[in-house]
Amino acid sequence: KSRVGILISGRGSNMEALVAAAAAADFPAEIAIVLSNRAAAPGLETARRAGIPARAIPARDFGVDRAAHEAAIDAALREAGCELVCLAGYMRLLTPFLVGSWAGRMLNIHPSLLPAFPGLDTHARALAAGVRLHGCTVHLVTEVMDEGPILAQAAVPVLPGDTEASLAARVLVQEHRIYPQALRNLICGEQVPADPRASLLNPCV
Ligand code: GAR
């Protein structure tokens, strides 16, 4: 099994979905560690309850030194033997250092159909734009926020009367479905992303 590290900042429901998927004997990944940039992230406790090592590496411990914070995260991932990293609601921008350190091996889930609505408040912006379809995207992380080769997407309808909360909930169900699927496909080489660096992963037997 490929060892996967997960970075979170809050609730961690996507992390939970990955942990649940990885519990299956035939899933090609195991979750090696969960890290959060916020000590108060509820997801840390959720991970521990599932028996996954989880710890906070708070950005504020490093003051304005973003490089030192990312170096600590990078070191923790490597100490845990991670081969891949999944960002799951990790709400800090990454510098080229961490992105470069995991090039082709770092995934992110974003709550919109990229390239529509990169950034924050995606559900409110989708409602304001009047789109009829919204959804979520799993992609490889590159230096540009919410860009990078797309690995999986799922669309949901925007329904009359939708609020930000109702739309977010509809999208979240799909996030939990496609994130484990995209991770599996990437590891198993069933999906050949536009980025050839991803091909360093081994096909599953
Ligand atoms: C998810 O909807 C995820 O797509 C989004 O934050 C939420 C985290 O929820 N990520 C981003 O907006 C990244 N820019 P979770 O902690 O329950 O997985």
Side-chain angles (χ1 to χ4, degrees), residues 111-113 123 126-127 131-137 153-159 162 166-175 177-178:
S112 78
L113 290 171
H123 307 305
L127 287 173
V131 296
R132 297 296 205 271
L133 285 173
H134 185 46
C136 51
T137 302
Q153 287 187 309
V156 302
V158 179
L159 300 176
D162 257 340
S166 66
L167 186 54
R170 193 174 306 122
V171 171
L172 194 64
V173 171
Q174 299 305 316
E175 294 186 40
R177 188 177 65 80
I178 68 168

Side-chain angles (χ1 to χ4, degrees), residues 10-15 88-91 108-111 119 146 172 175:
R11 177 178 57 183
S13 73
N14 277 289
M15 173 273 296
Y90 188 70
M91 302 307 278
N108 180 44
I109 185 144
H110 181 76
D146 299 333
L172 194 64
E175 294 186 40

